[in-house]
Amino acid sequence: MLRMKDILDATGGTVIAEGGTEFTGISIDSRTIKKGELFFALRGERFDGHDFIEAALATGGGAVVCRNAQCVADDIRTDHGLRNADYPAGKTVIGVDDTLQALQDLARFIRNRFDGSVVAVIGSNGKTTTKELLSSILGTRFPVLKTTGNLNNQIGMPLSITRVEEGMKAMVLEMGTNRPGDVHDLCSIGLPDTGVITNIGYEHIEGFGSLEKVRDSELEILPFVQRMVANADDAFLMEGIRTGFKGDLVTYGIDTPDALVKAADLVFSDEGTKFHLVIGNERILIQSKLSGRFNVYNALAAAAAAHALGFTVWEIKRGIEAFGGVGMRFEIRKVDGITFLNDSYNANPSSMEVSLKELVRRIQSAEGGRKRPKQRAIAVLGDMLELGAYSREAHRKLGQWMSTLPVDVFIGVGPLMTEAVAAFRGKGMHKATATDAAQELRTIMKEGDIVLIKGSRGMRMERVLATVEEALKEAVRR
């Protein structure tokens, strides 16, 4: 429950219309606002929440926070629906100078009053899965607040913090970055005491310009935390941490012998992954539902953070084994004898590499790495976006590298993937859209194939699997 006094203290706002003094939560969407919630009228590049003040008040029955100038302007009916004098009775309206800043200030106010642990999860790849795994482990002992889905930016993360409830003992906050300064700004709101960094790779390189700047931007977290959990197998990352961090460093890895938290005896299958979790002198078998070596790293990151927070290996085991995965992040689907690796949520050069390696691993036998009979590796890959001047080179390098892998068929989707298809020395073809790729895939796929589907969010690569599945269902109905 949010009190009027706390909101005013946090935001420095003024009461323009008086109504209720307690609110059940925060909303930024007039279409989904619930009774008793406080509506923040945020402005975006393509929308202005002030256009929906009237709907938010009428539908939600809550209060509204808006910029002072727009709340009291004489022409507000023409531009934004309501004049000051027209606010419905019983509805509170608070005026602030900047609604986004007010939301962030309120989140920081709530965080400062929270007496539990706050963990920030950052890195180029694996943030969301690591966040979910860590929340699952911590949840074996007490209620946990976590950022919802991928709400990891300057709007989503503060909004998540406002949803903390009584009895919660930890926050697990995913923090994303598109440009220098983002992690610093998010940390100044969430004020984490523990940081978890998964790896450094070519994420949103358009906003950074170089891999060194990606690392520098991620490591903006260091001045805020007393404890840092880091991937010891990422030498480039560790170099940056060791030159700039004086707090408690907790390391994890698969290949680094002196990492505190390690994985040993990895066994992969269609049902998931088995490995021994080794923490100091303790060793315990983990049977994870998640597939892929990269998900072992995600599990180790979560295990290391939980260990640093005082959780036992048995609690860690229970939390990891209870987690079943995140939608469109390497979901394994089997349809008519064909295995689909649906990793369509997002893509950058680093994540593309690990997903392709997992595709190859799945078609190879344990004996000498030879391909299993009657199995083909098919890669359906969409453009990697937000790479700036590096875009064409990155896609060309992808095609060249794939030529060294036992990939039988490559379907590239989007204008940038023309570079990858041209550089690929195997059977490659280009399609304009995900739907076009699905139609092509339907004509060539056969029993035993393993199909990787991956691309940046804007490419909507999930349509490939959806189109194929719908076509197969239609064939059965006939």
Side-chain angles (χ1 to χ4, degrees):
M1 188 69 68
L2 299 170
R3 298 185 304 159
M4 169 76 77
K5 181 181 183 303
D6 293 338
I7 295 165
L8 296 177
D9 288 346
T11 65
T14 57
V15 178
I16 294 172
E18 293 192 47
T21 59
E22 292 187 338
F23 310 98
T24 59
I26 301 297
S27 174
I28 60 172
D29 191 337
S30 64
R31 298 166 298 180
T32 59
I33 191 170
K34 299 175 183 177
K35 184 176 180 180
E37 288 186 335
L38 183 70
F39 176 72
F40 273 72
L42 302 181
R43 174 187 286 178
E45 293 182 3
R46 301 175 184 173
F47 68 91
D48 190 337
H50 295 82
D51 293 329
F52 308 104
I53 290 174
E54 189 171 7
L57 287 170
T59 304
V64 176
V65 174
C66 62
R67 289 189 297 277
N68 283 318
Q70 289 181 299
C71 288
V72 299
D74 290 338
D75 63 350
I76 200 167
R77 176 181 293 281
T78 300
D79 293 340
H80 297 289
L82 292 173
R83 284 195 182 97
N84 183 30
D86 292 333
Y87 290 121
K91 304 301 172 92
T92 295
V93 178
I94 302 171
V96 296
D97 293 330
D98 184 297
T99 48
L100 176 57
Q101 185 64 54
L103 175 62
Q104 294 172 350
D105 289 342
L106 178 58
R108 186 182 298 107
F109 179 89
I110 292 170
R111 160 61 185 103
N112 274 318
R113 295 176 56 169
F114 182 72
D115 60 1
S117 298
V118 177
V119 182
V121 181
I122 62 173
S124 295
N125 301 298
K127 292 186 295 295
T128 300
T129 301
T130 298
K131 172 204 68 180
E132 295 291 338
L133 281 162
L134 178 55
S135 299
S136 181
I137 297 169
L138 303 187
T140 63
R141 191 182 292 185
F142 45 63
V144 177
L145 174 98
K146 61 181 179 180
T147 45
T148 305
N150 67 326
L151 293 181
N152 62 9
N153 62 12
Q154 279 82 352
I155 296 174
M157 192 204 73
L159 186 62
S160 295
I161 291 175
T162 68
R163 294 171 178 164
V164 68
E165 298 177 1
E166 186 176 354
M168 289 180 171
K169 301 297 184 183
M171 295 186 188
V172 183
L173 307 177
E174 180 181 338
M175 297 184 180
T177 176
N178 294 317
R179 58 190 62 84
D182 281 349
V183 169
H184 176 276
D185 292 344
L186 291 170
C187 285
S188 70
I189 298 167
L191 301 173
D193 48 68
T194 299
V196 179
I197 184 162
T198 58
N199 47 59
I200 298 295
Y202 287 94
E203 58 165 339
H204 305 295
I205 198 71
E206 183 177 20
F208 298 104
S210 70
L211 195 61
E212 287 74 15
K213 288 186 178 179
V214 172
R215 182 179 67 181
D216 292 345
S217 298
E218 293 286 8
L219 296 185
E220 290 169 359
I221 192 175
L222 297 183
F224 291 90
V225 297
Q226 296 83 49
R227 180 188 301 114
M228 198 70 214
V229 177
N231 183 349
D233 290 351
D234 189 330
F236 183 66
L237 164 63
M238 295 305 298
E239 177 187 42
I241 293 177
R242 289 196 167 109
T243 58
F245 185 58
K246 306 302 181 184
D248 183 19
L249 179 60
V250 181
T251 58
Y252 65 90
I254 299 174
D255 300 324
T256 304
D258 62 352
L260 175 65
V261 178
K262 298 184 286 291
D265 309 322
L266 281 65
V267 178
F268 301 100
S269 70
D270 290 341
E271 288 70 43
T273 308
K274 294 181 182 179
F275 63 93
H276 280 98
L277 175 66
V278 182
I279 304 179
N281 295 323
E282 295 186 279
R283 185 184 184 96
I284 194 168
L285 178 64
I286 304 291
Q287 301 185 72
S288 171
K289 298 182 180 71
L290 306 184
S291 295
R293 183 181 172 92
F294 55 90
N295 272 321
V296 176
Y297 278 107
N298 294 335
L300 289 176
H307 171 74
L309 294 174
F311 279 68
T312 69
V313 292
W314 288 101
E315 290 171 317
I316 292 170
K317 173 183 170 69
R318 191 158 70 249
I320 292 175
E321 294 183 345
F323 179 63
V326 180
M328 296 191 295
R329 288 176 171 85
F330 224 86
E331 292 180 296
I332 299 175
R333 304 271 284 275
K334 293 194 174 183
V335 183
D336 281 8
I338 301 167
T339 301
F340 291 91
L341 310 179
N342 181 19
D343 199 20
S344 58
Y345 187 80
N346 215 338
N348 58 46
S350 302
S351 66
M352 197 72 86
E353 179 181 341
V354 297
S355 294
L356 282 163
K357 285 181 177 178
E358 178 62 15
L359 168 65
V360 169
R361 187 197 66 75
R362 283 176 169 270
I363 65 164
Q364 291 177 333
S365 68
E367 297 80 24
R370 294 184 298 274
K371 288 180 65 176
R372 294 187 177 99
K374 297 184 179 180
Q375 281 196 329
R376 297 186 302 169
I378 300 176
V380 186
L381 309 179
D383 285 351
M384 300 178 289
L385 305 178
E386 299 184 50
L387 297 180
Y390 182 60
S391 292
R392 293 194 177 280
E393 181 184 356
H395 287 80
R396 185 165 54 254
K397 285 184 175 179
L398 174 66
Q400 292 169 346
W401 177 67
M402 285 177 60
S403 299
T404 68
L405 304 177
V407 173
D408 296 280
V409 181
F410 168 34
I411 303 176
V413 182
L416 292 171
M417 277 295 167
T418 57
E419 298 282 347
V421 172
F424 182 62
R425 294 193 295 271
K427 183 178 180 181
M429 60 198 77
H430 178 264
K431 298 296 174 181
T433 69
T435 301
D436 294 338
Q439 298 301 334
E440 179 65 32
L441 182 61
R442 285 180 56 203
T443 66
I444 65 172
M445 64 187 190
K446 59 186 180 181
E447 185 177 354
D449 287 346
I450 303 179
V451 182
L452 170 65
I453 303 171
K454 190 169 180 63
S456 283
R457 186 85 291 271
M459 298 304 297
R460 302 295 301 274
M461 294 300 290
E462 69 274 11
R463 291 176 177 172
V464 175
L465 182 55
T467 301
V468 169
E469 287 186 321
E470 182 57 35
L472 292 172
K473 289 178 183 177
E474 182 63 27
V476 171
R477 286 194 290 267
R478 291 177 182 173

